[in-house]
Amino acid sequence: MKLLGKKIILRPIKLTDASRFVTWLSDAEVNKFTTRKSITLKDERKWIQRLVKIKKTEHHFAIDTKEEIHIGSEGLFLDLADKTARFGIMIGDKDYWNRGCGTDAIETILNYAFNRLKLHKIYLSVFSYNERAIRVYKKLGFKVEGVRREDIFYKNKRYDLIEMGILKREWQKLNKK
């Protein structure tokens, strides 16, 4: 399944994407924002093969530009009983940072989550030093729900982990404009 945004296309992740993920996650500028750190090509291929088996509880997408350049990924980790999902995103190709692709990818997956999957809430965790992501999440209507103080240890310093969420009714209200 493909989902179309204004600037991006969300598509299934393929085995041929594995080497790009390995490159991105081996880059300290990229992986400082993720929970997945440097990995091997073999491990990444195993992870991608696993995605087929977990389609009911996890929805993962590659993020491509409209020109079909693969620049990142995002996913929803579903709790179907509660109609909620944990969300994660990575723009791995730094040439596409600060170009609106991440914002568009988030908007596209939120539309999918709330309108097609009929979820009630989407939530996420973000490192306090990821100020760019926090600004985007707030702009899209996510609210801070809590802070796990000094939860992250990065480069010999402690940082907070910020918990954020958005409800379906909040998303709908923002998108009636």
Side-chain angles (χ1 to χ4, degrees):
M1 165 186 17
K2 286 187 178 182
L3 303 174
L4 303 178
K6 295 175 190 128
K7 296 181 175 200
I8 58 88
I9 300 165
L10 299 182
R11 61 158 173 85
I13 295 173
K14 306 178 290 199
L15 272 176
T16 55
D17 298 327
S19 62
R20 277 184 296 281
F21 283 116
V22 170
T23 299
W24 296 333
L25 291 168
S26 297
D27 182 332
E29 276 187 276
V30 175
N31 76 24
K32 75 178 186 180
F33 300 119
T34 72
T35 56
R36 295 181 71 210
K37 302 303 179 195
S38 196
I39 53 167
T40 67
L41 185 57
K42 181 180 176 183
D43 287 340
E44 189 62 12
R45 285 185 175 139
K46 276 188 202 173
W47 181 80
I48 291 171
Q49 289 169 331
R50 176 186 152 272
L51 296 180
V52 175
K53 298 174 186 159
I54 56 169
K55 280 197 286 196
K56 291 182 180 168
T57 58
E58 296 181 20
H59 293 213
H60 294 273
F61 296 93
I63 303 169
D64 285 358
T65 65
K66 290 286 184 167
E67 297 77 32
E68 298 184 1
I69 299 167
H70 180 212
I71 62 169
S73 66
E74 68 181 336
L76 296 169
F77 301 81
L78 305 173
D79 180 336
L80 295 173
D82 289 330
K83 293 194 165 285
T84 64
R86 182 170 48 89
F87 168 76
I89 184 171
M90 174 187 71
I91 302 296
D93 188 330
K94 294 183 294 190
D95 290 340
Y96 290 89
W97 286 5
N98 299 311
R99 293 175 82 184
C101 294
T103 300
D104 189 35
I106 298 167
E107 288 177 315
T108 302
I109 207 164
L110 288 176
N111 275 323
Y112 171 71
F114 290 132
N115 298 326
R116 300 240 315 261
L117 298 179
K118 307 294 184 200
L119 297 180
H120 173 71
K121 178 182 177 179
I122 307 299
Y123 60 95
L124 58 89
S125 301
V126 60
F127 305 148
S128 60
Y129 57 79
N130 194 347
E131 296 170 8
R132 179 179 56 231
I134 293 167
R135 276 193 308 276
V136 169
Y137 297 140
K138 286 181 176 179
K139 178 175 100 173
L140 294 177
F142 282 84
K143 300 196 179 347
V144 174
E145 297 183 330
V147 176
R148 290 174 30 195
R149 298 175 307 131
E150 298 184 7
D151 199 59
I152 304 300
F153 189 67
Y154 175 70
K155 290 201 172 181
N156 295 316
K157 190 173 174 192
R158 290 263 166 213
Y159 294 91
D160 294 343
L161 185 68
I162 300 170
E163 305 289 348
M164 301 180 81
I166 186 168
L167 303 175
K168 181 177 184 174
R169 67 177 173 268
E170 294 167 337
W171 176 249
Q172 289 173 328
K173 185 177 179 182
L174 281 172
N175 287 281
K176 285 188 178 176
K177 297 176 187 176

